[in-house]
Amino acid sequence: CMPGAQTLVLAMRRVCVLQLQAQDTEHLLILTQIPSMEIKVNFLDKLRLEAKFDDFTVLADQPIRYKGDGSAPGPFDYFLASSALCAAYFVKLYCETRGISTEHIRLSQNNIVDPANRYLQTIKIQVELPADMSDKDRQGILRSIDRCTVKKAIQAGPTFIVEAVDNLDADAQALLTLN
């Protein structure tokens, strides 16, 4: 999207919208329709699943304690790993652009579950930095983690739209409509 544009998420696709003032009337101009990442899921044997997107295939299963085979991480495990990997990516990017070695930098993430409500969780990301690193770079690395796209999406509170469709392939090509 362009700077100053708003992003609307509709039917799992993004649309960039620019608000214009015209004769005291606010109009919305749809600039482009940009498909977001479409992920297609195949149901495999037992509780195993396969997600396909771009040129990648991701397998998921459930742990044995939840009647799976434990042959792959579960969907929630991937979710948690995505925020840790995203944070680490931004640390790596910060360091590479400044010629800082990541050899002695370690990152860890823990999710702390509220015992009264398992859906209320605190995600704690900790980064171990070399003792001789400057305070400026220490603060820069911590700020870089705040740029994590996964973290920002979670904090923004995504909207989920769950619906039945007659044909997924036809729906993927349909123009966006507000229901």
Side-chain angles (χ1 to χ4, degrees):
C1 280
M2 297 174 30
Q6 294 180 355
T7 303
L8 300 176
V9 180
L10 303 170
M12 300 307 291
R13 291 169 184 81
R14 291 184 307 215
V15 175
C16 295
V17 176
L18 179 62
Q19 288 186 331
L20 300 176
Q21 293 286 5
Q23 303 170 350
D24 297 317
T25 306
E26 200 168 10
H27 295 279
L28 295 179
L29 172 65
I30 297 179
L31 298 175
T32 56
Q33 294 182 3
I34 305 170
S36 64
M37 180 173 52
E38 182 177 23
I39 302 170
K40 293 196 174 187
V41 176
N42 296 313
F43 298 89
L44 305 177
D45 61 312
K46 300 183 182 177
L47 296 179
R48 291 170 28 95
L49 304 167
E50 173 187 76
K52 292 183 172 256
F53 56 95
D54 296 334
D55 293 330
F56 301 102
T57 299
V58 176
L59 297 176
D61 195 359
Q62 292 295 321
I64 293 170
R65 70 180 177 274
Y66 296 129
K67 306 209 185 314
D69 291 332
S71 64
F76 194 68
D77 300 322
Y78 281 115
F79 167 73
L80 292 173
S82 72
S83 59
L85 289 167
C86 185
Y89 162 77
F90 279 98
V91 170
K92 180 84 168 166
L93 188 64
Y94 179 92
C95 291
E96 281 192 1
T97 59
R98 289 160 182 80
I100 299 170
S101 170
T102 55
E103 182 180 357
H104 298 292
I105 297 176
R106 298 188 322 155
L107 187 136
S108 175
Q109 174 182 293
N110 287 288
N111 67 313
I112 302 155
V113 181
D114 181 333
N117 181 347
R118 68 182 179 140
Y119 300 112
L120 293 178
Q121 299 192 16
T122 299
I123 297 174
K124 184 176 186 178
I125 298 172
Q126 297 176 306
V127 60
E128 182 181 301
L129 302 169
D132 61 348
M133 180 175 280
S134 73
D135 193 49
K136 177 184 172 188
D137 285 327
R138 288 174 171 275
Q139 294 307 313
I141 286 173
L142 294 178
R143 278 193 311 276
S144 76
I145 292 171
D146 280 335
R147 295 179 55 209
C148 169
T149 311
V150 175
K151 177 179 167 291
K152 286 183 177 243
I154 294 167
Q155 289 173 322
T159 300
F160 286 83
I161 300 170
V162 180
E163 62 186 1
V165 297
D166 292 331
N167 183 316
L168 282 175
D169 294 327
D171 186 67
Q173 301 302 317
L175 293 175
L176 295 176
T177 58
L178 286 172
N179 292 334

